[in-house]
Amino acid sequence: MKPDAEVTVTTMQAETTPNEKVIYQYRLLKRIRRHPLISLVYLGFLVLWALVDSMWQGSAGILLWGLGAMVGWHVVYYAVTLALLSREQEEAGYEQRYGWLFGWPWLGYLPTLSVPFRQFRSIQTHLFFIGGLATAALAAWAPPAATAMVGFVHLWWMAPRLFLSYALKRSARPGSIITLTVADAGLYAP
C-alpha cells in the first residue's frame, strides 16, 4: 500500500503549477493601526459637513442626497471593483479575496484576505477618479449643494483608502501584499 501513496504524492506534485504554490515567508514592512480618536473626529467631519451644507441651503433635502450618496457610492465602488478585478485573466481568482468589511475606517467592499498592493492601489485610484467624473457629470443637472454633498461623501469615503495607499507606497517593494483588518492594515513583502 505504501508504493501507491508515493505514486499519488508524485502525481499531485506533477499537477501543481508554480503559480499554485503558496509561500508563507513574508516580512512585515509597515503597519498602520487604527486610532479610535482619529476615527471619531473623521466621522464628525461628515456630520458637520451635512449640517453646514443643509443649513447653507436651508433644506433638509440635502441630507437625503447625502444619505443616498453614502449608499450609492458603495454600489458604484462594488461594481467598479468587480469590473477591474475581472479585466485580466491572471487575476481571475481575486474576486474571492474581496468582501464587505464593516469596521471603521475600512467600510465597504475591500480585500478581506491578502491581495497584491499594486492591485489594491490601482483599484483605489480608479475608484477615486471615476467618482470624481461621476460627481462632475452630476453637477450638470443637480443643485450645487447636492453636488457638493455627493462630492464630499465620495472624498470622505476615499480619503482613508487613498491615505493608506500613499502611506504604504514608500515602503512597498515588488511583490508586496496588503492585508486589511478592522484594527490595522499591513504591508508585507517576500
Side-chain angles (χ1 to χ4, degrees):
M1 192 133 175
K2 186 159 179 126
D4 291 335
E6 289 178 35
V7 170
T8 305
V9 171
T10 306
T11 305
M12 288 176 63
Q13 287 177 349
E15 292 177 355
T16 305
T17 63
N19 293 338
E20 293 174 343
K21 293 181 180 178
V22 179
I23 300 171
Y24 292 102
Q25 298 175 351
Y26 281 84
R27 287 186 336 262
L28 177 65
L29 297 177
K30 189 168 186 179
R31 176 170 284 155
I32 296 178
R33 296 189 189 272
R34 178 185 71 88
H35 193 278
L37 181 61
I38 293 174
S39 296
L40 186 61
V41 168
Y42 188 69
L43 184 61
F45 276 130
L46 178 67
V47 174
L48 181 66
W49 175 264
L51 293 175
V52 167
D53 199 23
S54 63
M55 285 192 302
W56 176 56
Q57 275 300 316
S59 171
I62 300 303
L63 293 175
L64 292 176
W65 275 93
L67 291 174
M70 290 182 78
V71 173
W73 281 125
H74 280 294
V75 171
V76 171
Y77 298 160
Y78 173 74
V80 170
T81 300
L82 285 182
L84 290 172
L85 286 173
S86 65
R87 73 181 173 196
E88 296 179 18
Q89 290 290 340
E90 66 218 29
E91 297 176 355
Y94 282 111
E95 288 95 358
Q96 292 94 17
R97 294 177 180 253
Y98 278 74
W100 291 96
L101 286 178
F102 295 107
W104 188 255
W106 317 126
L107 188 65
Y109 193 70
L110 292 163
T112 54
L113 299 173
S114 58
V115 296
F117 180 66
R118 173 197 55 83
Q119 179 191 69
F120 173 79
R121 200 161 176 263
S122 172
I123 288 174
Q124 300 313 314
T125 305
H126 278 86
L127 290 177
F128 176 72
F129 285 114
I130 289 171
L133 291 173
T135 302
L138 181 69
W141 62 272
T147 304
M149 177 63 81
V150 169
F152 180 80
V153 169
H154 169 62
L155 292 176
W156 188 79
W157 282 128
M158 291 305 298
R161 299 172 184 202
L162 293 175
F163 168 76
L164 178 66
S165 181
Y166 288 107
L168 297 177
K169 180 183 176 187
R170 285 191 218 165
S171 302
R173 296 182 185 160
S176 295
I177 61 172
I178 186 171
T179 58
L180 291 177
T181 64
V182 175
D184 62 6
L187 182 70
Y188 299 87

